[in-house]
Every structure is written in C-alpha cells, then in structure tokens.
Amino acid sequence: SILAATLLGTLSDLCGLAWNLEALFTRTLALEQMLTTGGGWQDQAGGIYRGIKVVETVAGLSQRPVLQWLPEHLLDDTAANRRILLYYTGVTRLAKNILDEIVRSIFLNAGDSLKILQDIGHNATLAAGAIQSCNYQALVDSVRTSWRLNQALDSGTNPPAIQQILDAVGDWVGAAKLLGAGGGGYMLMFAKDEEAAGRIRRRLTEHPPNPLARFVHFSISQTGLQKTSS
C-alpha cells in the first residue's frame, strides 16, 4: 500500500496532476482492488500522513479520512529502540489470501468474524487512549489484545516461523505483533523494561531465526509522504 501510494504520488508530480494526500489515499485503495490484492485504506493512511494518529472513515463507497493526531511521548527517543523494538522477521507472506477470507466472512455475515472486527475497532480506541494518557502498560495490554484478535480472525496470521521468534524471547516481551496482515514482515515488540529489551536484542542478534532477520532502527515520521528527485 505504501509503495503504491509513493508510485502514485510520483506519477502525480511527473504528470502535473496535483493529487493531494486525500486523492492518493483513495487512488491507492482503487489501485489495490485493480491488482486484486484487496485490502483497505489503513496502510497508506499510516504512511502518507505524518505522526501517530487515529484515522476513521464512515460507511459507504466514498471513503474520506478523518484524522486525530496523538502525542508521541510513548514512542519518542526515550522508548523507541529502547523499550520498543522493530524487528524484521525475514518471513514474507502475501496478505491477499488472508484478506480474501476476511472479506468473504463479512459478505456471508459471519457472526464470529463480525464480532472480532468490532472488538478490533474497540481495542484501537483503547490503544489511542493509552497513547493519549502516556500509559505504557495500557498500550502493551492493547497490543497484546490486538495480536490475539488478529489470530482469532485468521490463524494464518501467526505461522510457525513467527511463533518460533516469539517463543525465543517470550520471557522478556510484554506484547508483540506483526505489522500488516501478511503473517510475516516486520514485528513490533514491547519489552517489559529496558533490561528486557537488551536481552531480546542480544538473543535474536546472536541466534537469528534466518539470515534475513534483523533489528531495524525506527522513528516517527514528522513529514509523512516524501518524494525526492535527482
């Protein structure tokens, strides 16, 4: 989604189309449907708009994002890469199959899936509240709940290769979850404290699950989508 939004933003500049961020938000959604990968708007919204935020839309075909920005204290330099770690798992998986199943259950009005999706939305509100009040433990609790709900919605969200990573550091992690729907890629880990974070880093650095796995330094984007030319 973020790659698609970046490509569309570049095309807008090259062709003088003057698409603003809201237009990129909508056109990325359309492009993903044309590519048959499915998906919603959350990933490109997270990427093209700056900072930490809650993004909401109303029901209907016309999706217009409403954004509320949140404080960054829980993910600033005192926590990012110290208590909160970003880890590339080295595991890749296309989200299409997971999304197909989720959309199918919605079309079939499957009660269990609809209840889980409702709980996911409620939990997002709790996470936003934790960030707003700078309550680290409440944020950890909401991330743990999010990971449980993701797996309840589709068990393929947590393949054995990912569970192996979690098992290796489970004593030191308060909560963790994969970022995205694909069952692989990047994992965000919330350590119990800075000492635990150091142990997580040492364990996975000394005993990586695969040659591609590694920790990645991260920070909160202050600009959102950026394009440069040369």
Side-chain angles (χ1 to χ4, degrees), residues 131-203:
I131 294 173
Q132 186 71 51
S133 60
C134 297
N135 187 329
Y136 183 77
Q137 187 54 52
L139 178 59
V140 169
D141 293 342
S142 66
V143 171
R144 189 186 309 113
T145 299
S146 175
W147 182 233
R148 175 180 59 79
L149 290 170
N150 286 165
Q151 293 175 82
L153 193 61
D154 191 301
S155 59
T157 299
N158 185 18
I162 297 300
Q163 187 58 49
Q164 181 182 359
I165 296 172
L166 292 171
D167 289 342
V169 297
D171 291 341
W172 307 307
V173 172
K177 68 168 296 181
L178 293 173
L179 306 180
Y186 288 88
M187 177 186 291
L188 198 61
M189 302 184 192
F190 291 75
K192 293 178 179 178
D193 50 43
E194 285 195 35
E195 181 181 354
R199 295 184 181 216
I200 294 168
R201 192 181 290 277
R202 284 193 297 274
R203 170 64 64 85

Side-chain angles (χ1 to χ4, degrees), residues 33 55 68 98 108 112 132 138 148 158 160 172 186 213 226:
Q33 308 313 308
V55 189
Q68 300 177 56
I98 292 177
L108 293 176
D112 290 346
Q132 186 71 51
R148 175 180 59 79
N158 185 18
W172 307 307
Y186 288 88
Q226 275 187 297

Side-chain angles (χ1 to χ4, degrees), residues 1-6 8-9 23-34 38 40 44 48:
S1 301
I2 294 173
L3 175 60
T6 303
L8 289 173
L24 291 178
F25 169 97
T26 302
R27 291 176 184 276
T28 300
L29 179 59
L31 176 59
E32 288 197 297
Q33 308 313 308
M34 293 168 65
Q44 64 263 33
I48 64 178

